[in-house]
Amino acid sequence: MSALIKGRAHLLGDDVNTDLHCSSKYHPGRDNAYVAQHAFEQLAPGFAARFGKRGVIVAGRNFGNNSSREQAVHILRMMGVGGIVAASFGRQFYRNCINNGLTAVECDVAGVADGDEIEIDPAAGRVAVRARGIVREVPPLPEAALAIVAAGGLIPFLKAHPDWKIPVTTEG
Amino acid sequence: MGATIAEKILGAHAGGAPARAGDIVVAGVDFAMLHDARASNALRRIEQLGAKKLPFASRTAFVLDHYSPPPHAEAANIHREMRAFADAHGTVLYDVGDGICHQVLPEGGHLTCGDLVVGTDTHSTTYGAFNAFGTGVEGTDLSAVMMTGKLWFRVPETIRVDLKGRLQPGVWAKDVTLHMLGRLGAEGANYKAIEYAGPAVRAMDMDDRMTLANHAAELGAKAALLEGDEKTFAWLKARGARDPRPVKADADARYGQRIEVDAAKLPPQVARKHKIDDVVGVPEVRGLRVNYALIGTCTNGRLDDIRQAAAILKGKRIAKGVRMIVTPASRNVYLQAAREGLIEILTQAGASFEAAGCGTCVNITGHLITGDGDVVITSANRNFKGRLGNPDSEIYVGSSATVAASALAGSITDPREVMGGDWRPVSKAA
Ligand code: SF4
């Protein structure tokens, strides 16, 4: 079920802190649906409106940095984000992605342009933009993370597997 | 091939041999913490999980510290919900005024050397001062721990930091971390664990070691680990903690990076306005006028911090036009400060005390707000623009000794130049 993710690339830069651009901090008193419609507006006007179902966010370094609140990931899911490829992630944000069933892979994003058709294969450890001849190897997501993402997040995963029975990698 | 402290603790809790950096393991957790600022998300996630039983509830503490005291009905209602939940499930509860989560957990004897501890807060790295792997998680993680006692972890790579020599009198763990922030940059240890070792660490007492582990969060660290020694064991024993299972790194452990710091050469450090990694030695900003001085937070609101300030301000008055507020990290810290006469010394010097909690850290209780043009010197951990509720003020960060010396002079001052500024705790063990 941890299938290939394919979608249009939507570019964001380095150090995008989703607490500021994708949370109610930025739209005080508004609900998640409203915030989702206006996500990243200040950085990229019209970003959410352009964002098609299963689109892929392609970002630079430190995506989601300082953004430890899970709500940021709930909003990204609400936007229909299919996956995120970034040069690097904030630690807790990355954890929240896995826990909420959102595929996030760390990969060099040089050469990827806005609107490119991009592919993520988290199990094989590959990110590709075929039209540009870009095929990049990335560390595959470990089976535990794949299983949690495939289940739709940690809560649905534990409902199905309250004993945590998942393959665990032992040699890195 | 040898292993780091992080690899050993995570491996042992996953039921076997040391893990390796990069592995993902499912590991048993010894203790968990949820504080009020994250409670509404976590309690909703626990409901969604729909577990019939929460066997881990009694090994979890709920701490009412951020909204302490609650500034609005919403926060007061979250507190009501947390109290009711704790009552129903046998969860340990620390109520308003008991103190900051990272202080009350160790003080309550809830953790020991070799433990794996999670909390819904980035500064959960604090527990590393006790040779426990402490790390920050979110509500979903907490719900998983409460139901199953387990959680998945990516085993971090470790940066090893050796502190050579001894810190000068008047120079503290706070200054070491600020120096590291200047060197590595904020988030310079993102995803990673830090091991702090060396004679300067061994010479520190537990309060200072807690600062070292806690403040690693500003470096982005997932955990910060110190070895346990006689001082650690004695401290834990006095608080009724379980027997320590100390964990040391192997001599041939694999580190991502090794850093040496000559502790003896380090002057007091200050992070300049808005950027925690814009760090200079105090001599470089000496004389900069300040009008608001704060001592507190989970980073530097402990007894030694209050003692530092009292040593400097005893029998004196802070400068005209400066306001100074002290927030003890816990009720115990407050009590001990009272017993030692420190509250009287500081109150007579012109400082005010607030209830134990997160109050001085961030504009969350809404009553420490800065005015336009205010310049703050604080012993807190973060200083981004507007952290104290007004973007038109400036926040500088230094040790509690630097804060007290600066409050006395009305401008940023090197504590080593002030009488009492070289105070050190008298520790029993070497
Ligand atoms: S004192 Fe500040 S940094 Fe520490 S837990 Fe409280 S709010 Fe967070």
Side-chain angles (χ1 to χ4, degrees):
Chain A
M1 238 291 286
S2 37
L4 200 68
I5 292 158
K6 272 189 194 173
R8 286 216 176 284
H10 296 265
L11 257 55
L12 289 168
D14 287 339
D15 296 312
V16 175
N17 171 350
T18 58
D19 251 2
L20 286 172
H21 298 286
C22 197
S23 87
S24 51
K25 258 195 208 168
Y26 185 52
H27 301 280
R30 301 301 194 143
D31 62 7
N32 286 1
Y34 180 91
V35 180
Q37 278 167 29
H38 295 271
F40 307 111
E41 206 164 64
Q42 292 239 318
L43 290 170
F47 189 87
R50 281 198 305 276
F51 206 91
K53 262 263 162 280
R54 315 271 323 144
V56 173
I57 289 180
V58 176
R61 295 187 45 237
N62 268 329
F63 188 72
N65 186 23
N66 280 337
S67 182
S68 48
R69 282 155 210 269
E70 289 196 270
Q71 184 218 17
V73 180
H74 301 160
I75 285 165
L76 295 179
R77 289 210 54 175
M78 205 170 258
M79 280 172 69
V81 174
I84 309 175
V85 180
S88 65
F89 291 92
R91 185 184 74 77
Q92 184 66 47
F93 176 80
Y94 179 81
R95 187 170 181 87
N96 293 341
C97 284
I98 305 295
N99 278 347
N100 289 280
L102 186 57
T103 301
V105 292
E106 219 171 82
C107 179
D108 172 18
V109 296
V112 183
D114 216 34
D116 281 356
E117 185 74 17
I118 189 166
E119 256 174 57
I120 311 172
D121 187 338
R126 194 169 49 240
V127 170
V129 179
R130 304 279 172 201
R132 292 185 190 277
I134 295 176
V135 179
R136 288 185 186 139
E137 302 293 317
V138 294
L141 274 189
E143 306 224 29
L146 283 173
I148 293 166
V149 173
L154 189 56
I155 286 179
F157 173 84
L158 284 178
K159 281 185 167 174
H161 311 281
D163 53 0
W164 281 95
K165 281 268 179 289
I166 33 172
V168 173
T169 55
T170 46
E171 258 309 305
Chain B
M1 182 53 83
T4 63
I5 299 177
E7 289 170 334
K8 287 188 180 181
I9 293 181
L10 287 171
H13 285 76
R20 284 282 170 220
D23 287 356
I24 290 205
V25 296
V26 174
V29 168
D30 294 294
F31 203 80
M33 182 280 292
L34 172 71
H35 65 55
D36 51 359
R38 294 292 160 86
S40 49
N41 177 49
L43 292 174
R44 224 172 304 128
R45 307 300 272 165
I46 293 168
E47 268 165 34
Q48 280 170 16
L49 198 52
K52 280 181 216 78
K53 276 202 217 125
L54 295 172
F56 207 81
S58 59
R59 279 201 278 160
T60 303
F62 283 6
V63 187
L64 282 50
D65 55 354
H66 282 62
Y67 297 109
S68 175
H72 39 62
E74 254 174 31
N77 287 334
I78 290 168
H79 287 173
R80 291 180 62 87
E81 204 186 330
M82 289 175 82
R83 290 187 193 106
F85 184 101
D87 237 12
H89 293 90
T91 303
V92 183
L93 186 91
Y94 288 96
D95 216 312
V96 171
D98 284 342
I100 306 171
C101 48
H102 309 307
Q103 187 69 19
V104 297
L105 244 62
E107 278 182 356
H110 299 299
L111 53 96
T112 192
C113 300
D115 270 3
L116 174 56
V117 182
V118 298
T120 56
D121 193 274
T122 28
H123 290 96
S124 303
T125 54
T126 313
Y127 317 134
F130 303 94
N131 191 233
F133 188 98
T135 196
V137 298
E138 243 291 12
T140 295
D141 297 303
L142 200 96
S143 69
V145 172
M146 287 189 89
M147 180 178 115
T148 68
K150 290 182 186 173
L151 206 52
W152 69 273
F153 297 89
R154 185 184 165 281
V155 181
E157 196 177 78
T158 297
I159 301 176
R160 166 85 172 204
V161 182
D162 285 288
L163 298 181
K164 304 277 180 203
R166 281 289 269 264
L167 288 170
Q168 295 171 45
V171 183
W172 301 90
K174 177 74 164 197
D175 302 301
V176 173
T177 311
L178 290 174
H179 168 79
M180 293 293 298
L181 278 158
R183 210 155 146 171
L184 297 180
E187 307 298 318
N190 200 9
Y191 283 126
K192 304 197 171 99
I194 301 178
E195 266 177 27
Y196 280 111
V201 179
R202 286 195 294 277
M204 287 175 189
D205 75 333
M206 294 315 294
D207 279 11
D208 229 16
R209 292 184 192 182
M210 285 172 80
T211 301
L212 204 56
N214 168 290
H215 218 353
E218 275 52 61
L219 289 156
K222 177 170 184 158
L225 292 143
L226 279 65
E227 282 183 1
D229 61 11
E230 291 310 319
K231 272 188 228 179
T232 322
F233 308 148
W235 197 101
L236 290 168
K237 190 163 184 213
R239 283 151 188 90
R242 283 167 281 120
D243 283 344
R245 291 166 280 119
V247 177
K248 286 188 179 184
D250 294 321
D252 59 346
R254 270 193 300 199
Y255 293 107
Q257 195 181 350
R258 292 193 80 127
I259 295 172
E260 270 191 18
V261 178
D262 189 349
K265 288 220 179 89
L266 204 65
Q269 308 278 303
V270 161
R272 291 191 282 204
K273 61 178 175 186
H274 312 322
K275 280 189 68 142
I276 195 66
D277 55 2
D278 178 15
V279 177
V280 293
V282 167
E284 280 183 62
V285 275
R286 186 172 178 269
L288 187 114
R289 303 214 59 82
V290 294
N291 67 326
Y292 195 3
L294 293 169
I295 291 179
T297 81
C298 59
T299 307
N300 283 98
R302 282 180 270 283
L303 197 58
D304 277 358
D305 294 285
I306 297 172
R307 288 167 169 163
Q308 285 167 43
I312 289 168
L313 293 171
K314 185 166 189 178
K316 301 188 191 131
R317 286 281 307 181
I318 57 173
K320 199 159 174 276
V322 174
R323 59 174 167 145
M324 177 169 180
I325 291 173
V326 183
T327 307
S330 72
R331 186 185 299 281
N332 284 323
V333 168
Y334 186 74
L335 252 178
Q336 190 56 30
R339 289 189 191 113
E340 294 182 16
L342 309 176
I343 293 178
E344 187 170 341
I345 291 170
L346 291 174
T347 306
Q348 275 180 345
S352 329
F353 276 74
E354 294 277 334
C358 296
T360 41
C361 190
V362 57
N363 182 44
I364 194 166
T365 49
H367 71 305
L368 292 166
I369 195 157
T370 42
D372 297 351
D374 275 354
V375 181
V376 185
I377 178 88
T378 175
S379 71
N381 41 56
R382 288 174 180 157
N383 64 339
F384 56 75
K385 206 173 182 169
R387 177 111 173 143
L388 290 168
N390 184 345
D392 294 320
S393 58
E394 298 174 356
I395 309 172
Y396 291 74
V397 174
S399 72
S400 297
T402 300
V403 172
S406 304
L408 180 66
S411 60
I412 294 184
T413 300
D414 189 329
R416 295 171 303 175
E417 295 175 13
V418 178
M419 213 173 69
D422 56 359
W423 176 85
R424 270 262 171 244
V426 191
S427 39
K428 280 161 231 122

